[in-house]
Amino acid sequence: MLRLRELRKKKKMSQQELADLLGVTQATLSGWETEKYRIDNNNLIKCSEILDTTTDYLLGKSNIDNNIEFISLPKDVIKIPVLGRIPAGIPIEAIEDVLEYIDIPEEMTRGGKEFFALKIQGDSMYPEYLSGDIVIFEVSPTCETGDDCAVMVNGDDATFKRIERKENGIMVKPLNPEYETMFFTNEEIETKPVRILGIARELRRRK
């Protein structure tokens, strides 16, 4: 349960005042408070800073209200969303299918780099990646040959595959030989379209 309204009122702030500080519309803030819309990670962190609390308390994951410095969000880490899927046509920051949030070192974001994570489903990237693994991606519209990427193909949900660039197109390859490799010409890349969403930078596997 999101405690945004409760904490805003404790600060004696109006919806418009908080919306102005966040750089969003009052309607958007109202949607977050009623949980009509899911708040994105960047604004979640901004809200926690403005309202002097932790993201866990704001999300209802902790019952400890932070005005206590030692439980505040560490300064050297940030939280990124773990997504279950990336539906077509929706910016990553607006996706509502957030399974959880995980920490990454703040230094990873230097230079304006952005990250998201996907929980892997299926075995098309076996044996390097297993179903249930969490893979952290750097947001990028381009990649190099050999990069493992989140790729949007033909307007469908994103798929996770290895990319091989050819002079006349790209190969979108599963690591599991039981699955077929897809090839797209340079023309098909533009017309389908085929879009690189992010490059895998870290694998996290829970025992």
Side-chain angles (χ1 to χ4, degrees):
M1 178 186 68
L2 193 65
R3 295 181 169 122
L4 186 53
R5 186 196 300 273
E6 167 194 335
L7 291 168
R8 174 179 60 78
K9 288 186 174 182
K10 279 186 179 180
K11 288 288 187 181
K12 299 185 177 357
M13 296 175 68
S14 69
Q15 280 188 340
Q16 190 61 63
E17 287 172 331
L18 181 54
D20 288 345
L21 289 172
L22 293 167
V24 301
T25 65
Q26 183 179 351
T28 296
L29 181 63
S30 176
W32 292 338
E33 289 191 349
T34 60
E35 299 190 66
K36 180 180 179 182
Y37 312 122
R38 188 185 296 271
I39 188 170
D40 62 275
N41 188 52
N42 287 338
N43 280 305
L44 178 68
I45 293 171
K46 286 182 186 177
C47 283
S48 70
E49 293 171 348
I50 293 169
L51 299 174
D52 193 23
T53 190
T54 64
T55 54
D56 280 350
Y57 186 81
L58 194 55
L59 289 169
K61 294 180 178 179
S62 167
N63 290 322
I64 302 174
D65 185 4
N66 171 43
N67 284 309
I68 305 173
E69 188 173 344
F70 70 83
I71 63 168
S72 61
L73 188 67
K75 299 299 183 184
D76 58 346
V77 301
I78 64 169
K79 292 185 179 292
I80 63 170
V82 178
L83 307 174
R85 55 189 286 264
I86 303 178
I90 300 179
I92 288 169
E93 64 271 14
I95 294 173
E96 296 187 0
D97 186 20
V98 177
L99 302 178
E100 60 182 294
Y101 291 88
I102 59 172
D103 293 343
I104 64 170
E106 188 177 29
E107 63 184 19
M108 288 178 68
T109 65
R110 287 178 183 171
K113 294 179 180 178
E114 297 180 272
F115 294 85
F116 65 93
L118 270 178
K119 189 169 187 178
I120 302 304
Q121 301 176 23
D123 62 352
S124 67
M125 293 293 278
Y126 178 87
E128 288 191 28
Y129 304 90
L130 307 181
S131 186
D133 284 350
I134 291 174
V135 178
I136 297 170
F137 294 85
E138 179 185 345
V139 175
S140 175
T142 61
C143 70
E144 301 293 333
T145 287
D147 284 339
D148 296 333
C149 298
V151 190
M152 189 74 72
V153 177
N154 203 25
D156 294 329
D157 285 359
T159 184
F160 176 42
K161 297 290 184 287
R162 182 160 294 174
I163 299 299
E164 283 193 18
R165 291 196 172 276
K166 304 293 182 182
E167 190 172 324
N168 59 337
I170 63 170
M171 298 176 71
V172 179
K173 300 180 60 175
L175 301 183
N176 188 334
E178 293 186 8
Y179 291 80
E180 292 186 3
T181 295
M182 295 179 286
F183 176 78
F184 300 97
T185 66
N186 291 327
E187 182 180 357
E188 287 174 324
I189 291 170
E190 297 297 325
T191 58
K192 281 190 177 292
V194 180
R195 292 174 47 227
I196 305 297
L197 301 177
I199 303 170
R201 296 302 190 199
E202 184 179 328
L203 166 64
R204 295 192 183 180
R205 180 170 297 159
R206 292 168 177 163
K207 295 182 179 179

